[in-house]
Amino acid sequence: MKLDDTLGFILGRVSRKIHYRLDDIFKSRHMTIEQWVGLRMIDEEGPLCQKDLACRMEKSQNTIKALIDRLEAKELVTRTEDPKDRRNLILTLTGKGESLLNTLSPLEDEVNETIESILPPEETETLKQLLLQLEKKL
């Protein structure tokens, strides 16, 4: 089988194209996609323990610590000690972080809507379900 015909290669190409579109949006705000994902997860699931964020993002705790250091330096998140377990750091968004989410979320939504509009809705849903099945088994 030719490389161009393998599922992994096709998924990689599609992923890079989406990544480039989103990267253009976030670069203008001096953000990386990883930082954005971290902010979104803290917003959607927070307050969130730094260890839990590492698990959700499938990153090492050292990588997440560096990511949070950058977000904290930008005054987008705060870290506080968990009163129940002082080894845990709890992450919450600041007002500035919430404001940035409110500004950039509609732009991210536009990209996702454009991507999802390429296929008919039922095929988009089928594709999502198939990708989730792959994710679970890998």
Side-chain angles (χ1 to χ4, degrees):
M1 182 181 311
K2 279 184 64 180
L3 178 63
D4 283 347
D5 296 333
T6 63
L7 182 58
F9 193 74
I10 294 167
L11 286 172
R13 270 195 333 252
V14 171
S15 177
R16 278 188 298 281
K17 287 180 178 191
I18 294 167
H19 187 276
Y20 295 147
R21 283 186 181 201
L22 291 171
D23 196 44
D24 285 342
I25 292 169
F26 301 130
K27 271 185 185 176
S28 68
R29 300 296 176 134
H30 309 288
M31 296 278 299
T32 65
I33 291 175
E34 277 194 337
Q35 290 170 357
W36 176 254
V37 170
L39 278 180
R40 287 286 308 265
M41 286 185 174
I42 294 166
D43 179 55
E44 291 175 6
E45 300 175 27
L48 194 59
C49 169
Q50 192 166 306
K51 191 184 303 183
D52 292 341
L53 181 61
C55 288
R56 283 281 288 124
M57 290 184 69
E58 298 179 351
K59 304 284 182 187
S60 73
Q61 288 191 38
N62 287 338
T63 300
I64 291 300
K65 182 191 178 310
L67 177 85
I68 297 304
D69 286 345
R70 288 188 289 281
L71 292 175
E72 195 172 44
K74 294 176 182 183
E75 301 176 346
L76 300 173
V77 299
T78 59
R79 278 186 271 222
T80 55
E81 206 172 77
D82 185 345
K84 297 175 191 161
D85 184 348
R86 294 182 353 192
R87 296 171 294 177
N88 288 333
L89 295 172
I90 303 298
L91 306 170
T92 52
L93 294 183
T94 63
K96 187 175 177 180
E98 289 175 5
S99 177
L100 184 65
L101 274 173
N102 291 335
T103 300
L104 293 179
S105 287
L107 301 175
E108 179 196 23
D109 290 344
E110 277 182 42
V111 171
N112 286 316
E113 287 168 10
T114 298
I115 293 164
E116 291 194 13
S117 72
I118 293 170
L119 298 173
E122 60 279 356
E123 288 183 17
T124 298
E125 193 55 39
T126 299
L127 179 59
K128 286 180 185 178
Q129 295 307 313
L130 291 170
L131 291 171
L132 287 170
Q133 283 179 42
L134 278 175
E135 180 188 28
K136 285 179 187 175
K137 296 196 182 210
L138 293 176

